[in-house]
């Protein structure tokens, strides 16, 4: 008989929906079920919305005070999908109460906060994971396998860019993601954090970064009163040079002003024996070039990552029946619950709070570098 | 308060899983919920498997006799995902008991059967739909909208090909899909039926077809005893010429021997003012060429069909966060339940049993034509 | 010391320009030069134009009567780039005078003419080639090599389509290519002949065809007086089913109404062990899928056919420095002159008049079939 | 009557071949011919090779001393295709003798040399151009037109990468391009110079750069004695951050270790109203995204830049009949000869020695920055 695990969800909007969907699907679709998520409680500030979300997704109760959720005895796993400035306190308090924690990325507003959080979860001895869900894209897992197997040899160059275009209209309002006090940073923390996580996951630790940040539109209408404008205090775009500890070099960038790029996370990794290319807008595909073999038939191979042999795919559909963005969350929470229930290590498959801390250290260094105009070392 | 609708599912394998997933997701994810599917019962021949499926997906009970399911008073909607030779009897009996029916494609083994089924559901006055789920791919719905809006002008040519490669290995066994008495036909009914449905949906009624069918591997190991071989009695591939009533011409083909093509359903429609191209392996994309505008900037436009303005997308994720093959079923059962609950017409958005009948008439004509070597008229 | 070979060119327009360019480039760019083309004479009906062409390309003299060109003693190689109704007589008369002949495709207005031509060149003992230049695309030569090497196993299916859109505007005039008495047929002879030649080159002899032809715009303005209209007497598009003698099946089609398709010749060949895909609009690329190898890394490989190891490329530029459409003619006339000078066989690399005859037999059969509605056998 | 212009070519290898081909083709293929190149002389160090080249391409004479070529009275235009350390002296001496000069890129070993050269040609009053041939790719010219027309609005971000892989094999010898004293720099000067030129051409002047350079293989076999190794003294790869004077930001990079990338020069330009994407391996194509228009049909448009309306194409072939890399040189020398003969300004269409100087200033700044670890201003 499969046991249940009580889930408490912080936030009901974008991430709340994506995670709830995953909790519901996981036990119905995955072949191996470590535990069945029991949707205990969901938190949101505004009662009508959080109540509706609880009903829709099937949470037993809802709270408008996050403290009550993290104190709920039936909750074993707290999933924090709140804005970045509400990562630290709920996570730490949940840890202190012995809850396992899945927290959205970036882990914290800055490395200092992240370190506090990391210490708290370690001290509490709970399982902790940062929701870097792109680690759970089958094509990315395949890329990691191929790199580890030496298929592209020693990694020499990494080129990662995450391009979106959703705030290009100057009349787009000053939402929380555009305010430093809530978001910490802009494209950097929101999108760049994903790229840096993939860089660490696929290539290795970062030694130093050199960053350039830009805000193209400096004032925007206030959401609460569009006749008034407020200052955008985060980056609209950043570009950074990266030195890895293993000698590889690369660039990482992100923008919210890449017209026509909706969710274009492109990762290109050149190794001494080959190249891997991934694009999130076509997340079922991975491109591979191998230098081996005869010159006549070398070429970039487009692998449709939908075979039973591919990571996670045996849980889903026959070859060529593609999966979507939301499936990454199913894999992610499956992994985390498996780690909790069967006491497995979250890393290196998933990102722990230590990974989240290292990620925040890089983000901080990029921001510092953008101000100093110099290379900044990662601790 | 949203009402419930009792669902009875026939079959628990591939389609059983895809449809059950859709019944579960629909009320949790769609913005408008016509009714909440209540998973009443599921049917399968072998008890341990159907029992496990019932538990996994949350059906209240299971049956190993389909008659009991269609007689179940709590079941309002029968969803028939059984092999093709088990479409007719359960559908007719369900209709006679006043159940609404969603039936997998092709509707029947042949047009004669389909006609019986169509008469039965019409007589019973129940809602009926054939599960041609590709009508519910957002890119296909967009294509239909654009055609209706005149964006590509008068349709002149249609080119549809559905290519898979899953039985290329000669040691692949003689499964039910390779036996005429169970499947009716091979690539034709399984894959070609989808293409002909899209042809009718997007272009119009078919006047005549001219077919060519081929079985590349004529004998295969028996599943029950691989040391013995049995005869493949269906087509491995077919190609057909098509004349539409509106004057357009085209070709429709399908194969299970297209090496490297996993689920490659490609539709190309040339009109007097433009062209549309769709490929199921990249189902979030639609290509559009428009003759209008200046020659300097004409070109094929790749539309990423993930905008809020696109069909069904507002129910899902932000732009560029792609959906998968399974989402088509969510849209499909949403539509059917909406038609049932709010007494809306299933067509032209969905395929009724009349569409299923016309589809079977075309399939029959292709097979006849492959034997006579002549054009066969569609009634 | 490299010898010279006297060239007489019939026609100065599209093909005259493409061939003249090739005669000029060949000895300057190819590593091995069988003979240096001496541009002796060019023929055209209208004196000012043919005179200007002679000057531009460097022909020593020009004629406004083709008979004088084929009688010119200094001409050893007659290159016939005239409209289709002017293939037969000049070719036969040139052959009778012992000239080697390169003739544009299709070889003749019909198989009857083609047979006369074939007999004449064979009787005369001259070298003869039909200008099916796509046999000389490096990617196509590579495809042939790979097929012969067994890389895709036994060929099962062929899918060839040649799509253009240059006459979609109803005000486009009734040029010679739209009149049966000059062109023989429309998209069929102009574009389809190329596809059928590639089908024979890459797959094998055709056993029977079943054709469907369509004229979308039946009347067009006369070029000489646009206020008057004349009847289009050729096909705007055709689609055909094909049975090959070796058991493969396929389809061949062409259209001049494929909006957005400028010169899109797409060839897809499925074999028992793999697939090859080619597209003329990206003629430096060849796609290859191989079934062998582990399932995890199978995929369509895009081969950039610009390596020194690739056919003809060593004559040109470093890898990735792509060549264009015109280069096919350089390869083609290089081959033909090599065959003449060194008495090598034109086939199977090039298409002889026998290949041209077989090609015309197929074209005739498609037209007949489009009228009879039945399969037509190829002799 | 079209006049002639005497051409003297320095170098007979890669660039000598590409330029000679262009001089030969230009008057035969271009509709407007400013002057017919008369191939007067070619220079090379080793007599047998330069003699053979002279014969092959049709130069009247050859020299093994470049001074004699630049002194040749019949030479009006000196085309310098020698290694980078042989750009300065021949160009200056040619200028002093009143020759017009086309010089391969990068203009010089460094900005100091480039400035001398620029002063010399200005003083002499001759026409001067740097052979940044990618300015003459039709798709690039079209991109420039569209930017100037405001189609993508104000340029915000530029992303340029030039990726090759020809020296990845450690046994590849220490050729001149890998030695700083001959080449000046590695991937930076050879490939990066092209990208920076396109950046200036399409976006505007560069204000500052921040560079990172890397040599992956530090020792290689000597060409003259492979048993001995010598030190690689140039960069194998570099990546740089770029600030433009107009406020745009971007990155420019190049590598010779991008496995599978043969000649992949990718340029992506994001503006406030749209995006342009170009890839040299598919140089007949340009991708354009426009924010205007309804959300339903927005998308990246693939423009096949082969229409008569497109830059330079009217000189070549019908739509879809693609041109190759070599054609850029035909356009380039056509432009330069047109400027000479008709006294037109070389800029902004072509790159003058002033552009070459500014290009060298940027290259110098990248190298300096790679050492200092700081942003370097461009004068």
């Amino acid at each position: 008989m499969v046991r249940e695990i009580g889930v408490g969800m912080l936030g009901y909007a974008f991430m709340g929906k994506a995670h709830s969907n995953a909790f519901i699907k996981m036990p119905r679709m995955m072949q191996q079920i470590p535990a069945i998520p029991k949707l205990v409680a969901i938190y949101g500030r505004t009662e009508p919305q959080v109540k509706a979300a609880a009903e829709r997704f099937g949470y037993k109760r809802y709270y408008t005070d996050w403290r009550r959720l993290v104190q709920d005895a039936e909750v074993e796993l707290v999933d924090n999908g709140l804005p970045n400035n509400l990562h630290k306190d709920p996570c730490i308090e949940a840890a202190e109460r012995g809850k396992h924690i899945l927290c959205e990325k970036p882990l914290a507003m800055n490395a200092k906060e992240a370190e506090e959080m990391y210490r708290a979860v370690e001290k509490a001895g709970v399982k902790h994971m940062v929701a870097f869900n792109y680690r759970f894209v089958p094509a990315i897992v395949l890329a990691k396998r191929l790199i580890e197997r030496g298929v592209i040899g020693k990694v020499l160059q990494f080129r990662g860019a995450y391009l979106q275009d959703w705030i290009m209209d100057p009349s787009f309002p000053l939402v929380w993601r555009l305010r430093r006090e809530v978001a910490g940073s802009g494209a950097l923390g929101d999108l760049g954090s994903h790229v840096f996580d993939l860089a660490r996951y696929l290539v290795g630790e970062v030694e130093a970064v050199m960053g350039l940040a830009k805000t193209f539109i400096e004032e925007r209408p206030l959401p609460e009163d569009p006749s008034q404008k407020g200052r955008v205090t985060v980056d609209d775009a950043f570009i950074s040079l990266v030195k890895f500890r293993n000698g590889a070099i690369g660039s990482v960038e992100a923008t919210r002003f890449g017209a026509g790029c909706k969710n274009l996370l492109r990762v290109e990794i050149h190794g001494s024996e080959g190249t891997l290319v991934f694009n999130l807008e076509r997340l079922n595909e991975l491109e591979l070039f191998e230098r081996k073999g005869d010159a006549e038939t070398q070429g970039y191979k487009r692998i449709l990552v939908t075979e039973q042999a591919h990571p996670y795919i045996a849980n889903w559909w026959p070859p060529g029946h593609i999966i979507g963005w939301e499936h990454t969350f199913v894999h992610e929470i499956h992994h985390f619950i498996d780690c909790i229930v069967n006491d497995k290590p979250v890393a290196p498959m998933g990102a722990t709070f230590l990974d989240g801390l290292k990620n925040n250290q890089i983000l901080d260094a990029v921001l510092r570098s953008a101000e100093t105009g110099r290379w900044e070392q990662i601790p």
Side-chain angles (χ1 to χ4, degrees), chain A residues 248-259:
Chain A
I249 59 171
S251 64
V252 168
E253 69 168 306
T255 187
R256 287 162 169 169
F257 278 72

Side-chain angles (χ1 to χ4, degrees), chain A residues 108-117 356-357 360-362 364:
Chain A
M109 296 286 282
N110 49 54
K112 188 171 159 295
E113 272 195 15
E115 186 148 15
E116 272 186 77
M117 294 166 75
L357 165 58
N360 267 115
Q361 288 170 336
I362 298 172
D364 285 3

Side-chain angles (χ1 to χ4, degrees), chain A residues 250-311:
Chain A
S251 64
V252 168
E253 69 168 306
T255 187
R256 287 162 169 169
F257 278 72
C261 305
K262 300 306 173 181
N263 199 29
L264 201 164
L265 166 53
R266 182 173 62 195
V267 171
E268 298 169 314
I269 306 174
H270 301 298
S272 59
E273 303 305 326
T275 290
L276 285 165
V277 176
F278 172 76
N279 174 352
L280 185 63
E281 287 182 357
R282 286 177 172 167
L283 68 82
N284 292 271
E285 303 176 20
L286 180 69
E287 286 184 89
L288 168 65
F289 180 89
E290 292 179 87
R291 291 184 63 222
K292 75 173 188 201
D294 67 311
E296 262 193 339
T297 56
Q298 282 184 354
Y300 270 94
K301 202 190 271 177
R302 183 172 65 85
I303 303 168
L304 193 55
V305 190
T306 57
E307 296 294 312
Q308 299 298 298
H310 286 142

Side-chain angles (χ1 to χ4, degrees), chain A residues 145-164:
Chain A
R145 273 190 202 170
L146 297 177
I147 291 170
E148 286 175 351
R149 212 179 283 162
V151 170
I152 64 164
K154 178 174 156 55
V155 172
L156 305 175
Q157 289 187 250
F158 176 89
R159 194 178 300 111
Y162 202 152
L163 315 175
Q164 297 188 343

Side-chain angles (χ1 to χ4, degrees), chain A residues 8-321:
Chain A
M9 182 78 221
L10 298 173
Y12 57 79
F14 183 23
M15 281 303 134
K17 180 178 172 187
H19 286 235
S20 297
N21 177 54
F23 285 119
I24 293 163
K25 282 179 80 163
M26 190 273 273
R28 274 124 176 158
M29 305 303 288
M30 302 297 270
Q31 292 175 336
Q32 302 299 327
I33 309 169
I36 297 173
K38 181 172 47 165
L39 303 188
V40 173
I42 187 166
Y43 154 79
R45 271 182 311 179
T46 37
E47 180 155 4
Q49 276 98 317
V50 70
K51 183 163 182 269
E55 277 166 16
R56 173 177 283 268
F57 299 124
Y59 288 90
K60 293 165 72 173
R61 43 191 176 268
Y62 64 87
Y63 297 109
T64 56
D65 176 351
W66 62 257
R67 281 189 174 75
R68 295 194 54 202
L69 184 140
V70 301
Q71 292 164 0
D72 189 315
E74 211 177 342
V75 168
E76 296 168 78
L77 188 176
V78 169
D79 184 345
N80 189 341
L82 298 174
N84 304 345
N85 64 341
L86 287 171
H87 285 187
K88 192 187 74 168
D89 291 349
C91 283
I92 290 176
E93 194 154 333
E96 288 169 350
R97 289 173 186 274
K99 315 295 192 193
H100 305 289
I101 306 168
L102 174 64
C103 183
E104 261 305 322
K105 37 56 59 182
L107 178 56
M109 296 286 282
N110 49 54
K112 188 171 159 295
E113 272 195 15
E115 186 148 15
E116 272 186 77
M117 294 166 75
Y118 171 58
R119 285 192 184 155
V121 293
E122 280 292 296
K123 186 176 168 199
V126 297
K127 294 286 179 187
H128 45 90
M129 186 158 98
V130 188
F132 283 116
N133 60 308
Y134 298 147
R135 291 189 177 209
F136 295 90
V137 174
I140 291 290
V141 183
L142 178 60
K144 188 167 173 63
R145 273 190 202 170
L146 297 177
I147 291 170
E148 286 175 351
R149 212 179 283 162
V151 170
I152 64 164
K154 178 174 156 55
V155 172
L156 305 175
Q157 289 187 250
F158 176 89
R159 194 178 300 111
Y162 202 152
L163 315 175
Q164 297 188 343
D165 72 352
W166 55 285
I167 61 169
M168 291 191 71
D169 191 332
S171 68
F172 188 90
L174 190 67
V175 297
W176 71 263
R177 288 184 185 275
L178 305 184
R179 291 164 51 213
R180 179 172 288 217
E181 65 273 25
V182 187
S185 64
L188 176 63
D190 182 19
L191 308 177
S193 65
H194 272 301
V195 190
F196 279 117
D197 184 64
L198 290 179
R200 290 184 59 249
Y201 184 60
L202 296 171
V203 180
E205 294 298 344
V206 170
E207 180 180 301
V209 292
M210 172 71 220
L212 167 60
K214 183 89 183 183
T215 304
F216 296 113
I217 294 180
E218 302 196 338
E219 289 199 321
R220 289 180 178 276
L222 300 179
E224 56 276 16
D225 176 4
S227 71
Q228 303 276 39
K229 286 201 170 183
R231 192 143 203 88
V232 174
T233 46
V234 300
D235 54 295
D236 286 336
F238 83 96
I239 320 176
S240 65
L241 304 179
V242 180
K243 293 179 193 166
F244 292 88
R245 291 200 195 283
N246 60 16
I249 59 171
S251 64
V252 168
E253 69 168 306
T255 187
R256 287 162 169 169
F257 278 72
C261 305
K262 300 306 173 181
N263 199 29
L264 201 164
L265 166 53
R266 182 173 62 195
V267 171
E268 298 169 314
I269 306 174
H270 301 298
S272 59
E273 303 305 326
T275 290
L276 285 165
V277 176
F278 172 76
N279 174 352
L280 185 63
E281 287 182 357
R282 286 177 172 167
L283 68 82
N284 292 271
E285 303 176 20
L286 180 69
E287 286 184 89
L288 168 65
F289 180 89
E290 292 179 87
R291 291 184 63 222
K292 75 173 188 201
D294 67 311
E296 262 193 339
T297 56
Q298 282 184 354
Y300 270 94
K301 202 190 271 177
R302 183 172 65 85
I303 303 168
L304 193 55
V305 190
T306 57
E307 296 294 312
Q308 299 298 298
H310 286 142
Y312 290 105
I313 296 299
N315 295 292
W316 301 109
W317 315 108
H321 294 65

